[in-house]
């Protein structure tokens, strides 16, 4: 299939919804796969999720 | 001796049966009725649907597990409930139909003292012409569907490697779909896979959804405290899509699917078409179509089930406008108001209403995401029902246990790409799932417990959960230490 230009041409790139979205900076993208930082995030996110399961057990 | 019968062996039913077996003495019997031989860890179907895992790796055969722990397993589907008994059997029972083995297609009456309906959803592909694996689109709702989706996807990847171009459309196959989290996860993973295969430049990837806004997920979106701002999930999701070059079409009700074309109507009532090469569109859900008959042989299905086939429980089902919806409308004990010994867990219970604000075309056609019941609350509900039944059997006078989705939080880890060092996932927690504007007037949620972030850590958590929950599903030593 040839990519239909109709879709692409309906809106110029700068007017597509995606052009209004926030985009991550290079530094943010770097942090997302920077292993030492991600180890820290792994621990923090796990703690937050465990806190959530604790809350589910005790909030009723 | 008490007989507890659990219909369904998904997250909710399997959790309930496993805890009941652990807590009840051997003089009591726990029976699971489920039409498939396996437990399916559904979140990992996303990976199966892109050829990253085999179907076997997300399935756990139930019979050996249940034989080991002493649960009776009947590979059958429940057909009709007789909550008052009938002439054939005077005590409450359920009629089942075997789906495999020597008794395939034979019917049997299974007596119960307590019944848990955890039959999950019926996948209503027939709601949209041309929808589903038997017609033109793919699905990841079962491991088998996901396997076939992967084959189609990989065929397209091969064609692109030979210079062809492809358009991929992923999302909702109907205006009343739920489970957008799964579609989102699939589309982002699909995009990552196209890059890994080196064919991203040959592909256009479109997310087509009935959601009013991106990041709605059927729970009216959420707000996340992040980077010094309180950010709606619409921005969070749009950012992810923009970064990945995924385009989106929202507020769409898919009306018809042909071999290469999707026809949909927008909330403004505009009829549009979209050509595609590969589509993975989820179906809308309903209850599985159980019937109920009383002692005089009358059909009392309408008393037990809502019109969409899900089971009525202790929710407030009075029809009221969106502005009057309250956290208190949501059920707490999941007990049937008609019969005290019947409960419904997970997707099988009828929500009192949607969570997202309903939207209709000027002709009254609904186009909005319906209420999700994700894995974590489904398992928690299964567990508290098991506790309630345990208490009632022990006659210890304990009130029924409660777990309202307007109090409970949910954690969701949506994979956005795989690989031990280059993978990523969006990890989100939302609390409570159903916004409670009385308690949290501004956002409806407790922002201390509502968070979202994307990164490699999320991918590690997703992989960890895959192995932990499959371990737990096998009921191997220490399984109770793994939270719901
Ligand atoms: C692709 C996909 C990805 C998902 N990812 C996530 C995620 O990342 N996180 C999350 O929290 N949630 C996720 N979900 C949602 C989650 O899987 C559901 O919330 C959960 O499975 C609901 O559990 P359940 O037990 O109610 O239903 P199900 O898991 O659907 O189980 C229903 C059971 O009932 C059986 N059954 C059907 N009919 C009958 C009958 N007539 N008689 C007896 N038994 C019957 C079925 O065979 C099945 O065993 C995902 C869903 C999908 C489809």
């Amino acid at each position: 299939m040839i990519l239909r230009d109709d879709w692409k041409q309906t809106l110029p790139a700068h007017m597509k919804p995606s052009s209004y979205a926030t985009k991550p900076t290079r530094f943010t993208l770097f942090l997302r796969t920077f292993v030492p930082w991600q180890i820290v995030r792994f621990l923090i996110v796990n703690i937050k999720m465990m806190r959530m399961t604790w809350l589910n057990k005790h909030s009723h | 001796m008490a007989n507890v019968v659990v219909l369904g062996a998904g997250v909710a039913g399997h959790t309930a049966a496993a805890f009941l077996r652990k807590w009840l003495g051997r003089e009591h019997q726990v029976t699971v009725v489920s039409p498939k031989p396996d437990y399916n860890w559904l979140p990992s179907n996303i990976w199966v649907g892109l050829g990253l895992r085999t179907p076997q790796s997300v399935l756990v055969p139930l019979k050996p597990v249940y034989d080991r722990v002493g649960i009776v397993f009947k590979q059958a589907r429940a057909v009709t409930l007789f909550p008052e008994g009938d002439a054939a059997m005077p005590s409450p029972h359920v009629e089942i139909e075997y789906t495999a083995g020597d008794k395939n297609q034979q019917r049997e009456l299974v007596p119960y003292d307590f019944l848990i309906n955890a039959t999950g959803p019926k996948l209503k592909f027939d709601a949209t012409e041309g929808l589903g694996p038997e017609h033109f689109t793919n699905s990841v709702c079962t491991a088998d569907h996901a396997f076939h989706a992967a084959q189609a996807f990989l065929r397209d990847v091969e064609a692109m490697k030979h210079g062809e171009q492809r358009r991929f459309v992923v999302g909702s196959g109907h205006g009343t779909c739920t489970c957008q989290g799964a579609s989102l996860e699939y589309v982002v993973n699909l995009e990552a896979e196209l890059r890994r295969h080196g064919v991203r430049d040959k592909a256009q990837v479109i997310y087509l959804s009935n959601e009013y806004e991106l990041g709605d997920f059927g729970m009216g979106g959420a707000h996340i405290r992040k980077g010094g701002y309180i950010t709606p999930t619409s921005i969070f999701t749009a950012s992810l899509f923009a970064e990945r070059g995924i385009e989106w079409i929202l507020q769409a009700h898919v009306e018809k699917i042909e071999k290469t074309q999707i026809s949909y109507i927008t909330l403004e009532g505009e009829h549009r078409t979209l050509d595609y090469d590969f589509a993975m569109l989820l179906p809308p859900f309903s209850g599985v179509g159980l019937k109920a008959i009383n002692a005089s042989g009358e059909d009392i299905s309408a008393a037990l089930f809502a019109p969409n086939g899900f089971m009525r429980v202790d929710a407030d089902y009075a029809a009221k406008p969106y502005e009057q919806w309250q956290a208190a409308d949501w059920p707490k004990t999941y007990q049937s108001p008609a019969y005290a010994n019947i409960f419904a867990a997970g997707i099988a219970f009828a929500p009192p209403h949607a969570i997202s604000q309903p939207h209709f075309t000027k002709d009254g056609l609904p186009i909005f995401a319906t209420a999700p019941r994700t894995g974590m609350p489904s398992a928690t509900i299964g567990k508290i029902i098991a506790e309630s039944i345990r208490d009632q059997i022990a006659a210890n006078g304990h009130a029924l246990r409660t777990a309202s989705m307007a109090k409970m939080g949910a954690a969701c880890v949506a994979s956005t790409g795989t690989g031990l060092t280059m993978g990523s996932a969006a990890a989100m927690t939302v609390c409570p799932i159903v916004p409670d504007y009385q308690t949290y007037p501004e956002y409806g949620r407790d922002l201390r417990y509502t968070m979202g972030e994307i990164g490699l850590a999320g991918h590690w958590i997703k992989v960890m959960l895959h192995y932990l929950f499959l371990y737990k599903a096998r009921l191997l030593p220490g399984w109770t230490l793994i939270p719901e």
Side-chain angles (χ1 to χ4, degrees), chain A residues 1-11 16-24 28-29 31-60, chain B residues 164-167 202-204 206 235 238-239 242-243 247-249 275-277 376 380 383 402-404 407-411 413 421-423 427-431 448-449 451 453-457 460-461 464 483-484:
Chain A
M1 175 192 198
I2 306 292
L3 286 193
R4 253 157 301 273
D5 289 331
D6 56 338
W7 172 258
K8 291 202 162 155
Q9 280 170 4
T10 41
L11 286 175
K16 281 194 175 176
S18 56
S19 68
Y20 298 97
T22 29
K23 283 197 188 154
T28 303
L29 289 176
L31 281 183
R32 280 189 193 166
T33 50
F34 181 53
V35 172
W37 176 241
Q38 288 302 316
I39 290 172
V40 174
R41 297 312 302 165
F42 179 79
L43 296 173
I44 291 174
V45 174
N46 267 308
I47 289 168
K48 287 186 172 180
M49 289 193 172
M50 291 305 291
R51 207 168 55 158
M52 177 77 67
T53 53
W54 187 89
L55 202 76
N56 283 354
K57 263 195 203 135
H58 298 93
S59 65
H60 305 290
Chain B
E164 290 186 35
Q165 296 183 312
R166 289 287 186 270
R167 180 184 278 172
K202 305 265 185 324
Q204 188 179 17
I206 300 174
I235 290 184
S239 172
E243 177 199 332
E247 298 171 59
W248 61 88
I249 300 170
D275 290 344
Y276 73 98
D277 297 291
M376 198 180 202
T380 306
K383 186 176 177 184
T402 62
S404 165
K407 284 223 159 56
M408 256 189 280
V413 186
T421 54
M422 291 312 288
M428 271 188 71
T429 60
V430 174
C431 187
R448 286 174 305 165
Y449 300 107
M451 64 108 195
E453 70 173 62
I454 300 173
L456 182 57
W460 294 338
I461 294 172
M464 181 183 80
E484 276 61 60

Side-chain angles (χ1 to χ4, degrees), chain B residues 187-266:
Chain B
V187 76
V188 185
N189 268 276
L190 179 142
E191 193 277 336
E193 277 304 286
L194 292 172
R195 271 187 285 132
R196 193 174 67 84
H197 285 291
V199 293
R200 181 64 181 94
D201 58 328
K202 305 265 185 324
Q204 188 179 17
V205 184
I206 300 174
Y207 179 73
L208 171 69
S209 176
N210 59 338
E211 291 159 288
Y212 189 74
E213 281 191 318
L214 279 182
D216 179 290
F217 302 131
M219 50 171 202
H223 289 82
I224 296 162
R225 201 191 288 269
K226 187 101 194 114
Y229 287 87
I230 291 169
T231 309
T233 40
S234 53
I235 290 184
F236 185 77
T237 313
S239 172
L240 177 62
F241 281 4
E243 177 199 332
R244 299 293 187 83
I246 299 170
E247 298 171 59
W248 61 88
I249 300 170
L250 299 173
Q251 306 174 3
H253 161 70
V254 174
E255 296 179 298
K256 185 177 173 185
I257 296 158
E258 290 157 283
K259 197 158 186 265
T260 58
Q261 193 174 69
I262 297 167
S263 305
Y264 66 96
I265 178 170
T266 65

